[in-house]
Amino acid sequence: MRLFSKNYKDHSDEKLMELVAKRDATAFEELYERYSSKMLNYFYRMLWKDREKAEDFMQDLFTKIVNKPEQYNPARPFKTWLYSVANNMCKNEYRKQEIRKPTGYELNEDVAVSDTSIDFNRQIDAKDFEKALMKELDKLDEKKRETFLLRYKQDLSIKEIAEVCECSEGTVKSRLFYTLKTLSATLKQFDPAQKEI
Amino acid sequence: MQSEPKYESLDIEQLLLHKSFYELADDEREFAMQHIDSEQEYEDMRKTLLNIGFSTESEELIAPPPRIKEELMAAFDEESNKKPIVIWLNSIGAVLFPEGKSFYRQPGFQTAMAAMIVIAFLVLGPMDDPSIAGDDMVASNETQQGQLDEKTVTTDATILEEVETTEEETGTRIDNNGNTLVAEANNAPSPAEDGAMTAQQKPAVPPALLDDSEILVADVPDADEDLSLRELADNEGMLFGDPGSITNQRDKDANAINGQGSTGTGSTNYEDNLAQGFEFKGKVTTALDSTSFDRFQADELYKSDAVEDEIADNLDNSNAEVTFDADDIAFAQPNLTTEKEKLKKEQDGAYLGGVRGGTNNTVSPASTGGDNAGADRPNALLEIAAQSTDNTNKNNVQKLETVAEVAEVTMVEAEEMEHVEEDRVTTTASTISTNRVRPDKAAKTSDVKNTDLIKGRSLNDDKALIKTFFTAL
């Protein structure tokens, strides 16, 4: 009989995953608490901000952990492995859709054109920038887009992105630099930070 | 020449986030200018990067609904509880009874059938063990015994037929009148008589003791009561009766005539009995050999009353004319080598014995003790020779010669059969002992061909002796 409950908060992701493989429900619950929100938002961003689809994908991702925990390779960090699985799920969804779902985030061309003549600091807020950013991201290829999202939306390090994308860190930095350079060319009129300041 | 370092000493992202273009140091500006064309481009990139960071921070994060957590935890608990059992049952069931296969191709069905066969073998296997299945062995013996009984009956009839055939061939059968031992065509026994005799002679063969390795003569019922011809033949003298108890041949007492051995009341026809006995013995032996008869059955035939009854009947039917036959047969016994010596002594006048007694053609023994019977015979022959001047002596001499020849053959066969019989006894006993479990081999092993073994000693000596004797007379 156990007198003190296990403190799963101190366990690493890998240790928790090891316990999950031993059918420890508490360990699984801890992992879910750590990554459920991140993965849901990741899917949300990756899947055209479709919340239902993001929730389904997030549930499928954790269902895989429940049914086949042995697929996890302990040699890899759990975080990168989890993002790799999620990233592959998104890629499969991209292939399935073939024609990407219209994001609905298109900016009003008329407004946009007319807005060019006015002060951006007062006319465009953060949401507008976000919509414009997602539109421009959709125009990029998958690798640059996922690298950009992992870096600036999921706050993964260059090393982690390299593991998730299974590429070198230089490749990740190069992708990030050229993505940023492309976005800056189209989104330079937006200045939400300056407006906020 | 200057190299083009990328993100080596300083990541341009960090420069964009933390410093404006005019805040850059000389080395940082030099590094930034390797990737950026102008100051404006640097500022645009920095502004975009800052906007991305700002939008991310201000972006509202969606929270997963509690429903997903509950479903996942329920799935986790269900998987944890059911998975081991379900996998085990599925694996066993899938292996033993795979879907899409006929029932007889399913490993479970095949395994069950194999198990049933093994169990059946283990249950029914001990039935083949002789030590356990004693009842089966007894039943088999009974069946074998029944077959042997049937074979015995058949063999008896075959033996009788063989005897009749041999009698006809050798001409040694005594006719109903009992006048001579030489067979005559018109004196051949009728089928009715044969049938009667057959019924009388059929021995009661006891069941073969196939499961007993020690088959002894003493085991035969009434073995002591019937001092049979065979036992007498086993003796070296091969005489049925007491040689010294030669009495009137016309004594019709069958008990005395058939040579009940120890009674010592034989008649002058004991040589006839001897000859007939050996003759019949040879026939029986031949018949036994031809039918692969068992030694046990042979003993029974030898010991049976039928054999002696036939001889007794033959002797009862004999007449006085066979007087000479008796002496000549006794004289012609091949085994009595001492007769020659005695004859030689007789010629030298050193031997005298025997008293002629009785009426005509009757020879009395010199001594009733029976031990000196052989010594009396030359005297009887001398007396007979003295009477040879009669006209009837010619016929008697002819008959004597004929009978002597027959007797020679008979005695040779009897002698040879003595050796053969010994071999047969040894062989049969050992074979039955060896094949006690499988009695069917016993009869086969007793199949000894007497015809191959009977290579009688030459009778020329005896014939020459007889001729010399009669010539001298």
Side-chain angles (χ1 to χ4, degrees):
Chain A
M1 183 177 180
R2 199 187 307 275
L3 297 177
F4 301 97
S5 61
K6 292 182 180 179
N7 187 9
Y8 290 97
K9 302 291 183 183
D10 298 335
H11 289 347
S12 63
D13 297 342
E14 292 75 14
K15 179 63 177 178
L16 291 175
M17 192 59 196
E18 181 180 353
L19 294 174
V20 169
K22 296 178 180 178
R23 316 313 301 176
D24 191 338
T26 307
F28 175 76
E29 187 177 4
E30 178 63 22
L31 283 176
Y32 180 82
E33 294 296 335
R34 290 184 184 182
Y35 290 97
S36 61
S37 179
K38 293 180 180 178
M39 300 310 300
L40 177 63
N41 287 279
Y42 176 74
F43 284 118
Y44 179 73
R45 296 188 185 96
M46 292 290 291
L47 300 175
W48 317 284
K49 293 196 174 182
D50 188 342
R51 181 163 183 160
E52 292 181 356
K53 186 179 290 293
E55 291 177 353
D56 293 341
F57 272 68
M58 189 269 292
Q59 186 172 357
D60 292 341
L61 177 64
F62 281 96
T63 301
K64 290 180 179 179
I65 295 173
V66 170
N67 295 331
K68 298 179 180 179
E70 65 275 5
Q71 289 185 349
Y72 165 67
N73 184 9
R76 296 181 62 183
F78 174 76
K79 185 177 181 180
T80 57
W81 175 78
L82 188 63
Y83 274 102
S84 299
V85 176
N87 190 33
N88 292 331
M89 292 174 66
C90 292
K91 289 180 179 178
N92 294 333
E93 181 64 18
Y94 294 155
R95 295 189 184 94
K96 184 186 291 183
Q97 293 296 330
E98 294 181 356
I99 301 175
R100 294 179 182 178
K101 180 180 178 180
T103 58
Y105 301 136
E106 295 88 352
L107 297 174
N108 190 342
E109 297 294 336
D110 298 337
V111 174
V113 173
S114 61
D115 289 341
T116 56
S117 59
I118 62 175
D119 189 3
F120 289 102
N121 294 329
R122 291 178 292 180
Q123 294 179 356
I124 300 176
D125 56 3
K127 290 184 178 180
D128 294 335
F129 179 81
E130 184 68 21
K131 292 178 180 178
L133 178 64
M134 297 303 299
K135 181 181 179 181
E136 295 299 325
L137 288 175
D138 291 340
K139 295 177 181 178
L140 300 175
D141 59 73
E142 294 180 3
K143 292 181 180 179
K144 290 181 179 178
R145 184 161 55 94
E146 68 184 13
T147 304
F148 182 86
L149 290 176
L150 289 174
R151 179 69 183 99
Y152 298 108
K153 298 298 179 180
Q154 301 299 324
D155 294 332
L156 295 181
S157 65
I158 302 299
K159 184 178 180 181
E160 291 174 344
I161 295 172
E163 292 179 356
V164 170
C165 297
E166 298 178 353
C167 60
S168 64
E169 296 181 10
T171 303
V172 173
K173 291 178 180 179
S174 177
R175 288 177 182 175
L176 289 174
F177 177 79
Y178 287 105
T179 301
L180 182 61
K181 192 174 182 178
T182 303
L183 291 176
S184 64
T186 57
L187 298 177
K188 59 184 180 183
Q189 66 271 24
F190 294 97
D191 193 7
Q194 188 65 29
K195 182 181 180 180
E196 188 68 19
I197 296 172
Chain B
M1 181 176 177
Q2 194 173 14
S3 64
E4 297 180 355
K6 287 186 178 181
Y7 315 104
E8 291 178 352
S9 57
L10 186 62
D11 193 350
I12 191 172
E13 183 183 17
Q14 298 299 322
L15 296 176
L16 292 173
L17 288 175
H18 296 95
K19 294 182 179 180
S20 59
F21 186 79
Y22 65 88
E23 294 176 345
L24 294 175
D26 296 338
D27 57 342
E28 293 175 346
R29 184 174 299 177
E30 183 180 2
F31 173 75
M33 293 305 292
Q34 294 177 358
H35 305 284
I36 299 172
D37 296 335
S38 62
E39 179 181 357
Q40 184 62 37
E41 185 178 7
Y42 178 86
E43 291 298 333
D44 292 341
M45 291 181 63
R46 182 172 183 270
K47 185 173 61 177
T48 302
L49 185 61
L50 290 174
N51 289 334
I52 293 172
F54 176 77
S55 64
T56 303
E57 292 176 356
S58 62
E59 184 183 9
E60 54 178 329
L61 298 175
I62 57 175
R67 171 186 59 84
I68 297 176
K69 182 179 179 181
E70 293 175 358
E71 292 177 358
L72 289 173
M73 294 307 297
F76 188 88
D77 294 337
E78 183 179 3
E79 193 74 13
S80 300
N81 296 329
K82 293 182 179 179
K83 191 172 183 178
I85 299 175
V86 171
I87 289 176
W88 190 84
L89 291 177
N90 287 343
S91 61
I92 298 297
V95 170
L96 294 180
F97 301 100
E99 296 179 355
K101 282 189 175 181
S102 302
F103 70 94
Y104 57 86
R105 289 185 176 180
Q106 293 178 348
F109 176 78
Q110 296 174 351
T111 305
M113 294 304 296
M116 291 178 62
I117 292 173
V118 171
I119 292 172
F121 178 77
L122 294 176
V123 171
L124 301 177
M127 297 298 290
D128 297 333
D129 191 354
S131 60
I132 298 175
D135 296 338
D136 295 343
M137 191 66 185
V138 171
S140 177
N141 287 338
E142 291 176 353
T143 305
Q144 186 71 16
Q145 178 178 336
Q147 295 176 354
L148 290 174
D149 292 340
E150 296 177 356
K151 182 180 180 181
T152 301
V153 174
T154 306
T155 307
D156 292 341
T158 307
I159 291 169
L160 294 175
E161 294 177 357
E162 185 87 11
V163 168
E164 292 173 358
T165 305
T166 308
E167 286 176 349
E168 292 176 357
E169 291 176 357
T170 57
T172 56
R173 179 175 177 83
I174 299 173
D175 58 3
N176 294 330
N177 296 327
N179 292 327
T180 178
L181 293 174
V182 179
E184 296 179 0
N186 54 0
N187 290 332
S190 63
E193 293 174 350
D194 290 343
M197 185 172 63
T198 301
Q200 185 181 2
Q201 288 178 345
K202 277 189 176 180
V205 179
L209 302 177
L210 298 175
D211 54 348
D212 187 0
S213 60
E214 295 180 358
I215 299 177
L216 302 175
V217 177
D219 295 335
V220 181
D222 300 332
D224 295 336
E225 296 177 358
D226 298 331
L227 188 57
S228 63
L229 296 172
R230 181 182 177 278
E231 291 178 346
L232 294 174
D234 290 339
N235 297 327
E236 185 63 24
M238 292 188 292
L239 296 175
F240 281 95
D242 188 355
S245 61
I246 300 175
T247 58
N248 190 346
Q249 64 165 350
R250 293 180 178 178
D251 186 0
K252 302 299 183 182
D253 186 2
N255 293 329
I257 291 173
N258 62 12
Q260 295 272 334
S262 59
T263 59
T265 57
S267 67
T268 56
N269 287 333
Y270 77 98
E271 289 84 0
D272 295 344
N273 297 339
L274 178 63
Q276 291 295 323
F278 285 134
E279 178 186 0
F280 192 78
K281 177 184 177 181
K283 296 173 181 177
V284 171
T285 303
T286 303
L288 291 175
D289 294 335
S290 62
T291 57
S292 298
F293 219 66
D294 190 81
R295 189 261 182 196
F296 188 86
Q297 294 170 332
D299 291 340
E300 285 303 310
L301 285 176
Y302 282 127
K303 292 179 180 298
S304 64
D305 294 335
V307 177
E308 296 179 359
D309 290 343
E310 182 186 6
I311 297 171
D313 294 339
N314 293 333
L315 292 174
D316 290 339
N317 295 328
S318 63
N319 57 14
E321 293 181 0
V322 297
T323 300
F324 301 104
D325 299 342
D327 294 337
D328 293 339
I329 290 170
F331 181 76
Q333 290 180 1
N335 289 333
L336 297 176
T337 56
T338 56
E339 292 289 343
K340 297 177 181 179
E341 297 176 359
K342 293 176 182 179
L343 181 60
K344 186 177 181 181
K345 292 178 181 179
E346 184 185 31
Q347 292 176 353
D348 295 337
Y351 182 83
L352 292 173
V355 177
R356 179 180 181 184
T359 59
N360 187 22
N361 298 333
T362 299
V363 177
S364 298
S367 174
T368 56
D371 295 335
N372 296 325
D376 295 337
R377 289 170 191 162
N379 293 330
L381 292 174
L382 290 174
E383 293 177 358
I384 294 170
Q387 296 176 357
S388 63
T389 56
D390 297 337
N391 294 329
T392 57
N393 284 343
K394 295 180 179 178
N395 295 329
N396 292 333
V397 169
Q398 293 178 352
K399 294 179 179 178
L400 177 61
E401 292 177 352
T402 304
V403 172
E405 292 178 355
V406 174
E408 288 173 358
V409 175
T410 304
M411 292 303 294
V412 168
E413 291 178 355
E415 182 184 7
E416 294 300 329
M417 275 307 303
E418 184 64 22
H419 299 291
V420 172
E421 188 61 25
E422 291 177 358
D423 296 337
R424 287 171 58 82
V425 169
T426 304
T427 304
T428 306
S430 61
T431 303
I432 292 174
S433 175
T434 303
N435 299 322
R436 56 184 303 182
V437 180
R438 298 188 61 183
D440 54 330
K441 291 185 177 179
K444 294 181 179 178
T445 54
S446 62
D447 188 10
V448 180
K449 301 297 185 181
N450 285 335
T451 55
D452 297 336
L453 297 176
I454 295 176
K455 295 178 180 178
R457 55 186 260 185
S458 175
L459 298 177
N460 293 330
D461 296 339
D462 296 331
K463 289 182 179 179
L465 183 61
I466 293 172
K467 291 181 180 179
T468 302
F469 177 74
F470 284 106
T471 303
L473 292 177

